[in-house]
């Protein structure tokens, strides 16, 4: 083994270039990894979006004939799986990667190569799950994969295996990234950056990382149990004929799944909490309350999972308990919303595209939250569960919430990443099309749900009163598609002739705005010393800033005395090994479907990768 | 930083309002949009209460569904109130505090403990007033009422079996209930998880293999109500429907009597041919009481299929043409259904259809 | 809790480790003995729970040095342990309280 | 605006909390791993007494051999002692002693694994496989996962020995031994829980069984 890996390392010479494809594939720079995450998950966003469009076309009219029922089931399963695991989570991760070291005044993350490994495992997992379309059919049992519809007896194809194994792989990516960010945030803050001085986005990242490391093992166990049931070992975890209980799957899935909801929304809340103060020129109102509300939401996320299961028959006591805990989540959520609104109050609001998206987030998220209240109550949920009303609810939370906030983040931090501003005119068009489109698409779903239209049906007859709103929804989904197109046009056009952003285009508040755009590899030429919350704002306007104290020339960390030119700063070198290890791991998982010999090959590659990784110095 | 003066919001609100009177009439784009959404969403909700649609949950008929609907409106009223207040406030702020000059620097407010406590407690009050009727309703719905009839529901991929243990009746996809009686359902599954749902009569309850879930339904007026499976259960989840026929007691008793009567051997020679084909081709999977050998349990019972309003689990109206189409190629109607193409000749189909439709 | 991370106490030496190990061994012996005493069968579960909790804590506090190291480590570990324990208890309650099982059905 | 003097942040391992990155990572990992075993143990406990057919864990038809498992539990427990002794040796710069204790720990771990292999074989011979009933299903999965953790631990320990033989584990690197030790002790405490919940506390027999 040692000689094999030794020679392998010899063949794969340590990458030294800073340009070209190979430099990107071997990069361990958190900013580049962030960009890779962003680009990759945006591609998945387009794939998941096209899947949604096909679903909407099928449902535009009664008795739709666009796709057959099997393909329909595959498409909605893949749409949700893609959007949750391959879009919102990794897009959030793109922001984590790019921003966290910048916001806390660090030069890198704690484990740069582990970071690269997270990315490559994510890519491999995403490609693996999507490759199921080519190998006999995609998963078709929903993103929640309820047992025992996923058992061999009722689901003979390998789609479910692609799904379960792919999610296991993606879980590794999330875990590795989360450990990395926990250590980075706890351990690599600049001098003076106490916990209660950290930017809100950093705080929410920390909460999300903790949710991930505690939630991911649970879903991993459930997925492994599922694969064992489907394996030649023929275990009985979810097999009722032999004493197994399909409800166990639901508990394990939602024990993960509910924290997952907060994993999807908390980064969005973090982004909004950065954007609003910037364009209101005011500090976040009630910072400690917003932080603790975020932590509390994360904590409460563990006590509400069974509200996804009110109709399962848990009994009145359990349903009451989970109803009350669920309603209680509205309290910290309310605190956040009121504090955002109070941040705007008395501010000087500038409606940039980023700001519009963040305001859109608040408004849409309120709708999603309030519709959530109506099914936090089990008796009303008995009618709404598994109808389009629920689909409406979580799209207001995940599209109106997460996606709008992520777009806000794009427009906000794009200049930091690329050095160029996105076009505001196109940006506003992007915003209005998206918000009109999403309300046309998801608003009527409330009505359809209350009008008795179940989810996940590939067809419906005429005469149910569902025709009109379904057609409107389909039209709305096309408007959303148009808005995404406008965004792409914006990106392409400004990349050619966009306005130069400069280090601080928005009069920013946090440390990332104190360094050039795009930041140099080492981020900070001199490590900043933090004097308080909104560290860069304080640098510009003084500790008691605002009220006329308007500095013209903010200090920057770009140049300075001593070794401030950055040439003497050693950054970790690129490495192939994270990619090799990720490839090995994915082969190992794929082997469960394609033959265990492949798992063996994968294991050897992975172990070789780990061994070489452990013996490779951080830089030669 | 902590030394910064904390301006009091109410005071600023007052000045804000005073200034508001002299503001220019130009509204910010975001504000006008939000007002659009606000009005739009409320309008959408109001138009949704038309009541004519067959699965409308907001024009309930059954007692359970009515209670659930009542609770919905209570919660909806709270939600609507919060919606109007908060979105209204947001709109006002966007309008009032928009940036007027690039040089303006607002007061650097960091927080206000009293206000923050207030808006922590306000939701608590609302939530308590939602939680109390919720919990009361949960226990009310779970109470054992004076049950006068039991029905066992068995979910199959993709059809429903209804057994009346006290009456000795077994039927499929068409549930008959007497008006005004409390019917206790025992929900079980033969394969995967389904969910039993008749929107106008009661909220749904999952049908889980290995478990037995209770549900009560009481309907006070006769009528035909549509139901369908609400939990993804495979390729034909969308086409796992059923109908509930609520009848006056006398009519219901007559229906029970008819159901208990076994099929009589046909006299008409054309019918005899049909019965023989059915015996040969259908009996392995379907039960027809009174027809020798027809005791299969895989598919729904065909005893009295002629009396049902629909076939293929609520997918097609029960007409001779539709029945022929179904028998000719079930996969064309319902892709993935467990009923295979039997390869009957057109002649055989023309014999089978009238025979089956004669079983009333 | 008030101990700053940089100044946590020194780890114990081999002598103390061996003492702990002896205690652990004795507890294990008692556990197995309790299992075989018929008169204790009624109280078996609580006795075993207490004994194994002591064993668990001793390994964590001494062998894993949580007693001596930064409290941050304790937060990380107890966070996971606490959620895991709560999940176990909640699930046992949920499955114990509600199941109307139809044996062998389906 | 002040900037930290370049020299002030020179040592690479100086961190905000003063704690080592890797050690922090390991503790976060152990917190996370609690949930993995939490879910597996929960599954086992939920399925206790719900097997439709034997063999059952204890009782007249039981497969558990308490004396045998007690010995192997004891072996694993004692491996925790040898592990801390290895760490103590490493911290004191007794490199040879450290190697001896590391090898002893790996050996005890291997003995435990051997016991588990023997136990599994015996159960299969008595007709209990993962497919037999929900007891077999959840028991083999839970203890199998624990066994996999032990196996990984043994590999890590032996790797440390190899690294040390090449001179890569001097006194200054004792933190590496400590971190490996944390993992090893965690595997031990998980077995403390399993030994009690799975083996010693008798599971109720299903009402309709035997």
């Amino acid at each position: 083994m040692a000689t094999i890996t030794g020679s392998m390392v010899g063949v794969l010479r340590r990458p030294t270039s800073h340009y070209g494809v190979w430099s990107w594939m071997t990069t361990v720079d958190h900013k580049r990894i962030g960009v890779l995450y962003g680009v990759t998950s945006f591609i998945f966003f387009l794939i998941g979006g096209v899947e949604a469009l096909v679903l909407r076309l099928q449902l535009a009219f009664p008795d739709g004939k666009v796709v057959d029922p099997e393909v329909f089931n595959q498409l909605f399963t893949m749409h949700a799986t893609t959007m949750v695991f391959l879009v919102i989570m990794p897009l959030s991760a793109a922001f984590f990667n790019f921003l966290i070291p910048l916001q806390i005044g660090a030069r890198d993350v704690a484990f740069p190569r582990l970071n690269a490994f997270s990315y490559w495992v994510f890519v491999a997992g995403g490609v693996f799950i999507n490759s199921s379309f080519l190998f006999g059919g995609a998963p078709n049992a929903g993103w929640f994969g309820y047992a025992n519809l996923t058992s061999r007896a009722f689901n003979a194809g390998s789609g479910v295996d692609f799904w379960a194994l792919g999610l296991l792989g993606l879980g590794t990516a999330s875990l590795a990234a989360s450990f990395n960010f926990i250590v980075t945030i706890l351990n690599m803050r600049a001098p003076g950056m106490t916990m209660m001085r950290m930017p809100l986005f950093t705080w929410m990242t920390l909460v999300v990382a903790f949710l991930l490391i505690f939630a991911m093992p649970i879903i991993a166990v459930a997925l492994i149990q599922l694969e064992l049931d489907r394996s030649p070992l023929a275990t009985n975890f979810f097999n009722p004929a032999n004493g197994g209980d399909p409800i166990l799957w639901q508990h394990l899935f939602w024990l993960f799944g509910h924290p997952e909801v907060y994993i999807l929304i908390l980064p969005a809340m973090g982004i909004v909490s950065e954007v609003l103060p910037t364009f209101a020129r005011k500090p976040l109102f009630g910072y400690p309350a917003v932080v603790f509300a975020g932590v509390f939401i994360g904590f409460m996320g563990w006590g509400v999972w069974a509200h996804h299961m009110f109709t399962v028959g848990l009994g009145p006591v359990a349903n009451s308990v989970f109803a009350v805990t669920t309603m209680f989540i509205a309290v910290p959520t309310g605190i956040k919303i009121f504090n955002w609104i109070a941040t705007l109050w008395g501010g000087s609001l500038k409606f940039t595209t980023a700001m519009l998206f963040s305001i859109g987030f608040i408004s849409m998220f309120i709708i999603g939250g309030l519709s959530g209240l109506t099914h936090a109550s089990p008796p009303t949920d008995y009618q709404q569960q598994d109808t389009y009303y629920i689909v409406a609810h979580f799209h207001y939370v995940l599209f109106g919430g997460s996606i709008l906030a992520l777009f806000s983040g794009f427009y906000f931090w794009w200049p930091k990443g690329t050095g160029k501003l996105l076009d505001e005119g196109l940006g506003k068009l992007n915003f209005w099309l998206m918000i009109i489109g999403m309300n046309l698409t998801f608003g009527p779903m409330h009505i359809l749900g209350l009008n008795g239209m179940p989810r996940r049906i590939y067809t419906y007859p005429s005469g149910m009163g569902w025709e009109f709103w379904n057609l409107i929804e389909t039209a709305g989904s096309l408007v959303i598609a148009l808005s995404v197109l406008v965004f792409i046009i914006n990106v392409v056009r400004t990349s050619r002739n966009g306005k130069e952003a400069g280090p601080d285009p928005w009069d920013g508040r946090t440390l990332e705005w104190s360094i050039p755009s795009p930041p140099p590899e080492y981020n900070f030429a001199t490590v900043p010393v933090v004097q308080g919350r909104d560290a860069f704002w304080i640098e510009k306007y003084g500790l008691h800033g605002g009220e006329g104290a308007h500095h013209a020339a903010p200090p920057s960390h770009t140049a300075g005395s001593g070794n401030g030119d950055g040439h003497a700063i050693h950054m970790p070198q690129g490495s192939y090994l994270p990619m090799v290890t990720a490839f090995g791991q994915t082969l190992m998982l794929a082997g469960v479907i394609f033959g265990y010999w492949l798992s063996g090959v994968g294991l050897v590659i992975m172990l070789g990768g780990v061994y070489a990784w452990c013996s490779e110095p951080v830089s030669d | 930083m902590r030394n910064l003066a904390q301006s009091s919001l109410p005071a600023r609100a007052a000045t804000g309002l005073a200034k508001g009177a002299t503001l220019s009439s130009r509204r910010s784009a975001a504000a006008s949009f939000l007002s659009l959404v606000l009005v739009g969403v409320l309008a959408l909700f109001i138009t949704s209460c038309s009541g004519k649609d067959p699965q409308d949950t907001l024009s309930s008929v059954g007692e359970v569904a009515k209670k659930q609907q009542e609770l919905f409106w209570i919660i909806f009223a709270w939600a609507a109130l919060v919606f109007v207040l908060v979105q209204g406030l947001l709109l006002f702020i966007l309008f009032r505090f928009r940036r007027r000059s690039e040089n303006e620097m607002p007061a650097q407010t960091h927080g206000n403990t009293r206000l923050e406590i207030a808006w922590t407690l306000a939701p608590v009050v609302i939530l308590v007033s939602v939680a109390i009727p919720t919990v009361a309703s949960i226990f009310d719905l779970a109470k054992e009422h004076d049950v006068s009839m039991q029905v066992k529901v068995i979910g199959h991929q993709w059809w429903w079996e209804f057994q009346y243990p006290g009456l000795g009746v077994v039927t499929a996809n068409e549930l008959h209930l007497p008006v005004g009686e409390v019917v206790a359902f025992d929900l079980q599954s033969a394969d995967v998880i389904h969910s039993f749902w008749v929107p106008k009569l009661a909220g749904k309850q999952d049908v889980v293999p290995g478990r037995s879930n209770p549900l009560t339904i009481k309907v006070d007026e006769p009528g035909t109500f549509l139901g369908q499976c609400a939990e993804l259960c495979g390729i034909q989840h969308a086409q796992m429907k059923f109908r509930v026929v609520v009848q006056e007691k006398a009519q219901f008793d007559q229906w029970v009597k008819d159901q208990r009567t076994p099929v009589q051997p046909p006299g008409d020679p054309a019918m005899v041919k049909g019965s023989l084909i059915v015996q040969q081709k259908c009996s392995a999977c379907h039960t027809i009481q009174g027809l020798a050998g027809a005791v299969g349990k895989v598919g729904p019972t065909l005893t009295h299929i002629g009396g049902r309003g629909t076939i293929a689990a609520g997918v097609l109206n029960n007409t001779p043409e539709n029945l022929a189409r179904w028998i000719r190629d079930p996969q064309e109607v319902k892709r993935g259904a467990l009923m295979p193409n039997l390869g009957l000749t057109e002649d055989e189909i023309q014999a089978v259809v009238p025979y089956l439709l004669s079983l009333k | 809790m008030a101990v700053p991370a940089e100044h946590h106490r020194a780890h114990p030496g081999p002598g103390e480790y061996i003492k702990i190990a002896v205690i652990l061994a004795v507890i294990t012996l008692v556990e197995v003995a309790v299992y075989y005493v018929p008169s204790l069968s009624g109280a078996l579960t609580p006795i075993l729970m207490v004994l194994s909790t002591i064993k668990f804590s001793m390994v964590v506090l001494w062998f894993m040095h949580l007693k001596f190291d930064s409290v941050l480590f304790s937060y990380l570990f107890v966070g996971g342990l606490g959620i895991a324990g709560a999940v176990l208890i909640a699930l046992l309650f949920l499955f114990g309280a509600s199941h109307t099982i139809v044996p062998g059905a389906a | 605006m002040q900037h930290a003097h370049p020299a002030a942040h020179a040592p690479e391992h100086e961190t905000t909390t003063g704690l080592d990155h890797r050690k922090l990572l390991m503790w976060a990992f152990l917190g996370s791993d609690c949930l993995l075993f939490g879910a597996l143990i929960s599954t086992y406990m939920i399925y206790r007494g719900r097997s439709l057919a034997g063999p059952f864990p204890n009782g007249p038809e039981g497969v558990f051999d308490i004396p045998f498992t007690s010995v192997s539990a004891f072996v694993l427990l004692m491996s925790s002692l040898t592990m801390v002794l290895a760490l103590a040796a490493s911290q004191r710069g007794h490199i040879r002693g450290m190697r001896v204790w590391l090898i002893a720990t790996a050996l005890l771990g291997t003995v435990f694994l051997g016991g588990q292999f023997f136990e599994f074989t015996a159960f299969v011979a008595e007709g209990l496989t993962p497919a037999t009933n929900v007891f077999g299903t959840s028991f083999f999965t839970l203890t199998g996962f624990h066994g996999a953790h032990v196996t990984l631990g043994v590999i890590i320990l032996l790797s440390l020995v190899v690294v040390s033989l090449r001179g890569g584990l001097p006194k200054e690197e004792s933190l590496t031994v400590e971190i490996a030790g944390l993992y090893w002790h965690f595997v031990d405490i998980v077995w403390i829980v399993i030994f009690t919940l799975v083996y010693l506390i008798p599971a109720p027999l299903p009402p309709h069984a035997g």
Side-chain angles (χ1 to χ4, degrees), chain B residues 122-140:
Chain B
V124 172
V125 173
I126 295 176
L127 291 172
V128 168
S129 50
V130 171
I132 290 173
T134 291
V135 174
S137 173
I138 293 172
F139 281 92
D140 178 43

Side-chain angles (χ1 to χ4, degrees), chain A residues 534-589:
Chain A
D534 292 326
F536 186 50
W537 182 266
I538 292 175
E539 284 181 27
K540 288 187 288 188
Y541 296 98
L543 210 50
H544 304 278
E547 313 283 9
H550 208 280
H551 290 220
S556 76
H557 302 130
T558 54
S561 53
N563 69 349
D565 58 0
H567 286 307
I569 301 168
H570 288 285
M571 295 305 294
Q573 231 173 319
S575 172
Y576 295 102
L577 298 170
M579 193 169 45
V580 171
T581 311
F583 179 67
Q585 188 200 298
T586 310
L587 276 192
M588 217 169 79
L589 292 170

